[in-house]
Amino acid sequence: MKTIWILVLVVFYNGISLNGVATNVPARPPFVSIGALLPFNSTIGKVAKVAIQAAVDDVNADPSILGGTKLRIKMQNADKSGVLGIIDALKFMETDTVAIVGPQSSVTAHAISFVANELQIPLLSYSSTDPTLSSPQFPFFVMTARNDLYQMAAIAEIVDYYGWKEVIAIYGDDEYGRNGIAALGDKLAERRCKISFKAPLTPAATREEITDLLVKVALTESRILVVHTFSSWGPVVFSVAQYLGMMGPGYVWITTNWLSTLLETDSPLPAGTLDDIQGVLTLRMYTPDSELKRKFVSRWSTLTSGTTAYGSNPMGLSTYGLYAYDTVWLLAHAINAFFDQGGNISFSNDSRLAALRGGSLHLDALNIFNGGNLLRQNILQVNMTGVTGKVKFNPDGNLIHPAYDIINVIGNGIRRIGYWSNYSGLSVVPPETLYSRPPNRSSSSQKLHGVIWPGQTAQKPRGWVYPENGRHLRIAVPSRVSYCEFVSQVPGTDKFAGYCIDVFTAAINLLPYAVPYKLIPYGDGVNNPSCTELVRLITAGVYDAAIGDIAIITNRTKMVDFTQPYIESGLVVVAPVKKRNSSAWAFLQPFTGQMWAVTALFFIIVGAVVWNLEHRLNDDFRGPPRRQLITILWQVTCNIICSLIDCSEMVPPHFIFSIFFQILSQYLSFLIYI
């Protein structure tokens, strides 16, 4: 009998089944408790609540997902903000749940992520997209939607695509807003752009506070405004902007995906709200078209029957609803893998929290989930296809293939002008069609469709104006006494004129951004000022720059940078240009009357020399005077022609003297010979 009992104990201890196959996998429980933490009446929460419940029902309806185990979900309405919302979240974590879907707020996520680390309970959030939440500091926080880091990268590429260099950031002054704008600043800096002015607003900002802030924004230089806020008071920003005339031509408004979420959930919006956002660009998390997505979209009207969004309008399905639905399925697949690996759902007390027993918060009731680390690993290893497309995490803990739709608000609806993906940048074709090709981020491959900008214009705004309150550059101008044509002050005014001023003005007009400046005279106007001293004052910070005929010499180049010289130094010859008519007698133009007289005189002298040399020995130079004169003229003409041929490369005054000296040398040679 003892032997039988020992055998039974061995069987149960080693997990021997009736058929003799060994297994260490414990039996699966009939239910697994999970939680959901979200505000039920927010723009995102009311959609996510329906989607989460639908996903739980679908998982429980399919016994192949969890092997007969069903999900039991408890939802907590986290409609409070600040400390009260965090306290409610902590109380909710007192229940023994293996994982929590949420929270929706990034501020709350930051607070309870520390508790999740201690209790080893995974948090799967479809809407808390603060980039800092994906850091190793929060290993039990899993972001099941697109990280805002990629959304800011998309905005930076849009700004760079249109050639703008500075933007103004309007954002909520909390962790979500500040961290998102910090990521935007980093992405802009990668493209040599920047945030020129930050305009924070408190999460509970009033219309008066928004008005005061936008008045300051209107006085700045940049006209590219990025709004990263919540859908609760985001429309108020545009209402005030419309009132202040900031929704007209010249302005560019870009919002993060809060506006597209509002348009999808509460569409159609009131006519006044639509008028306020005409021409705005907004982003939307991209979800590829698929059969699963189409089926879920077709079910949405049934799931939300009897539920309204704005007024009597039916509640629309936003991308956050799709990601909330996939989050539950992702958790279900991870729990199934957890059970397959022998995971057991058990909780234990935290000895460090036991010392807090007796407090009103009942923190000692918080228990550690013993299998939390294994479940977290299985969550990050899930590889499935859901309504949002491929669901898989990269080594950084972010979903693969981040992409966004770029939407332009026009009329009563929206128009998609292109896509952005982390793989190929801006394009007009769906991102999944480019994944099979090599990545191409060249400027020629970046394309978007045309945009209707605020003010109902299709022309791309310049993006900046001359600021009303910006600091002006202090530019010194030498008050010279001499060479006033280069630079001089107009008498009786504070204006300057001259060649250097004209060059400076032309260069300023070619810049793609505004450069406010003020010209300041340097010198007493009686004596020429020292340019070396002027250069030294620039290095001392008295002036920002200088304009004038300042020579570039060695000791000055050691103190400041000069532009390229636009006036050549050295001696030059200035001669008038006269237009002359060309004709067959143009060869006579170089000779003046005096030159013709000298030529005739030499002609006579040469003829006399030739006759004196030839008439004694040459019979051709004898006879009647008429014959001798004709012979002399003929011989002189031939000699001149020969001399012209030999001296063809000489200038006209030179070859006459050459002829004379040749004949003279022949005459002297003849006399010596005689």
Side-chain angles (χ1 to χ4, degrees), residues 88-377:
D88 283 348
L90 293 176
K91 289 182 177 180
F92 181 67
M93 296 182 73
E94 294 177 0
T95 59
D96 292 339
T97 56
V98 299
I100 295 177
V101 178
Q104 179 178 307
S105 169
S106 295
V107 176
T108 305
H110 271 280
I112 67 174
S113 289
F114 292 101
V115 182
N117 292 346
E118 181 69 21
L119 303 182
Q120 299 184 15
I121 298 177
L123 301 177
L124 295 85
S125 181
Y126 54 88
S127 58
S128 298
T129 52
D130 182 347
T132 60
L133 286 171
S134 61
S135 68
Q137 183 183 12
F138 307 113
F140 282 88
F141 181 87
V142 181
M143 194 178 299
T144 59
R146 301 302 179 185
N147 194 321
D148 272 348
L149 182 68
Y150 300 113
Q151 184 169 207
M152 299 308 170
I155 294 176
E157 288 203 35
I158 293 173
V159 171
D160 183 57
Y161 173 78
Y162 288 109
W164 302 314
K165 294 300 179 184
E166 296 183 359
V167 304
I168 296 174
I170 302 174
Y171 59 97
D173 192 12
D174 57 10
E175 289 179 322
Y176 171 71
R178 289 191 297 269
N179 294 333
I181 294 302
L184 175 62
D186 294 339
K187 292 301 180 180
L188 287 172
E190 293 176 3
R191 301 182 172 277
R192 297 186 178 181
C193 305
K194 67 176 183 178
I195 300 175
S196 61
F197 183 74
K198 292 183 179 180
L201 285 166
T202 61
T206 63
R207 188 178 181 90
E208 289 73 20
E209 292 174 341
I210 295 174
T211 303
D212 294 340
L213 185 67
L214 290 187
V215 169
K216 296 179 182 178
V217 170
L219 297 177
T220 58
E221 173 186 330
S222 178
R223 286 295 180 263
I224 314 300
L225 297 95
V226 177
V227 183
H228 178 53
T229 178
F230 307 101
S231 56
S232 57
W233 53 264
V236 182
V237 173
F238 287 102
S239 177
V240 174
Q242 184 77 270
Y243 173 75
L244 296 177
M246 299 175 65
M247 296 302 299
Y251 282 90
V252 175
W253 290 83
I254 304 174
T255 77
T256 48
N257 58 352
W258 66 265
L259 181 57
S260 63
T261 303
L262 183 66
L263 290 169
E264 290 177 326
T265 306
D266 297 339
S267 183
L269 295 176
T273 304
L274 279 175
D275 291 340
D276 294 338
I277 59 175
Q278 291 298 304
V280 175
L281 292 183
T282 184
L283 299 181
R284 178 178 61 191
M285 290 184 288
Y286 174 73
T287 55
D289 188 28
S290 64
E291 183 65 24
L292 287 175
K293 179 181 175 181
R294 287 192 294 269
K295 288 181 178 179
F296 186 70
V297 171
S298 64
R299 291 174 52 199
W300 186 252
S301 59
T302 304
L303 294 173
T304 58
S305 59
T307 305
T308 59
Y310 185 87
S312 58
N313 298 326
M315 183 171 62
L317 174 61
S318 66
T319 52
Y320 282 112
L322 298 175
Y323 278 99
Y325 182 83
D326 274 354
T327 299
V328 175
W329 275 91
L330 182 153
L331 179 58
H333 283 285
I335 293 174
N336 183 60
F338 171 80
F339 286 142
D340 288 341
Q341 296 172 10
N344 183 28
I345 297 178
S346 62
F347 296 86
S348 60
N349 294 328
D350 191 338
S351 59
R352 285 172 292 186
L353 294 176
L356 302 176
R357 182 172 301 163
S360 59
L361 293 179
H362 300 288
L363 295 179
D364 56 302
L366 298 174
N367 296 322
I368 296 176
F369 176 35
N370 297 325
N373 193 48
L374 178 60
L375 179 59
R376 181 186 67 88
Q377 294 176 5

Side-chain angles (χ1 to χ4, degrees), residues 430-450:
E432 66 269 14
T433 62
L434 302 175
Y435 294 148
S436 60
R437 309 176 191 174
N440 185 1
R441 303 301 291 266
S442 63
S443 57
S444 60
S445 66
Q446 305 299 295
K447 297 179 181 178
L448 290 175
H449 293 300

Side-chain angles (χ1 to χ4, degrees), residues 306-552:
T307 305
T308 59
Y310 185 87
S312 58
N313 298 326
M315 183 171 62
L317 174 61
S318 66
T319 52
Y320 282 112
L322 298 175
Y323 278 99
Y325 182 83
D326 274 354
T327 299
V328 175
W329 275 91
L330 182 153
L331 179 58
H333 283 285
I335 293 174
N336 183 60
F338 171 80
F339 286 142
D340 288 341
Q341 296 172 10
N344 183 28
I345 297 178
S346 62
F347 296 86
S348 60
N349 294 328
D350 191 338
S351 59
R352 285 172 292 186
L353 294 176
L356 302 176
R357 182 172 301 163
S360 59
L361 293 179
H362 300 288
L363 295 179
D364 56 302
L366 298 174
N367 296 322
I368 296 176
F369 176 35
N370 297 325
N373 193 48
L374 178 60
L375 179 59
R376 181 186 67 88
Q377 294 176 5
N378 283 290
I379 290 173
L380 297 177
Q381 293 174 1
V382 168
N383 185 359
M384 72 173 202
T385 300
V387 294
T388 60
K390 191 73 171 178
V391 179
K392 184 180 180 181
F393 294 95
N394 61 23
D396 295 331
N398 294 312
L399 292 175
I400 63 172
H401 301 322
Y404 287 87
D405 295 316
I406 304 174
I407 295 172
N408 185 202
V409 181
I410 304 174
N412 295 326
I414 58 177
R415 173 175 173 262
R416 183 166 50 199
I417 64 169
Y419 307 87
W420 177 89
S421 69
N422 193 45
Y423 184 79
S424 57
L426 302 175
S427 66
V428 293
V429 296
E432 66 269 14
T433 62
L434 302 175
Y435 294 148
S436 60
R437 309 176 191 174
N440 185 1
R441 303 301 291 266
S442 63
S443 57
S444 60
S445 66
Q446 305 299 295
K447 297 179 181 178
L448 290 175
H449 293 300
V451 178
I452 303 299
W453 304 101
Q456 300 298 316
T457 177
Q459 183 179 3
K460 185 196 78 172
R462 184 173 60 175
W464 59 269
V465 295
Y466 288 101
E468 298 292 337
N469 59 351
R471 188 182 78 84
H472 289 62
L473 291 178
R474 296 165 298 181
I475 301 179
V477 181
S479 295
R480 299 186 59 89
V481 179
S482 58
Y483 302 106
C484 296
E485 293 81 3
F486 287 99
V487 62
S488 63
Q489 187 171 4
V490 179
T493 66
D494 57 352
K495 298 181 179 180
F496 292 84
Y499 180 71
C500 295
I501 300 297
D502 294 340
V503 173
F504 172 77
T505 304
I508 285 291
N509 292 334
L510 292 176
L511 295 177
Y513 48 84
V515 180
Y517 62 89
K518 182 179 181 181
L519 301 180
I520 304 173
Y522 172 72
D524 54 11
V526 178
N527 300 308
N528 288 331
S530 171
C531 291
T532 302
E533 178 63 17
L534 174 58
V535 170
R536 189 193 67 80
L537 291 176
I538 295 176
T539 61
V542 178
Y543 303 109
D544 296 314
I547 305 172
D549 51 336
I550 303 173
I552 305 175

Side-chain angles (χ1 to χ4, degrees), residues 571-584:
L571 299 177
V572 295
V573 177
V574 180
V577 178
K578 296 181 180 180
K579 185 177 180 180
R580 297 180 181 273
N581 296 326
S582 178
S583 63

Side-chain angles (χ1 to χ4, degrees), residues 50 306 462 605-606:
V50 177
R462 184 173 60 175
I605 294 174
V606 171

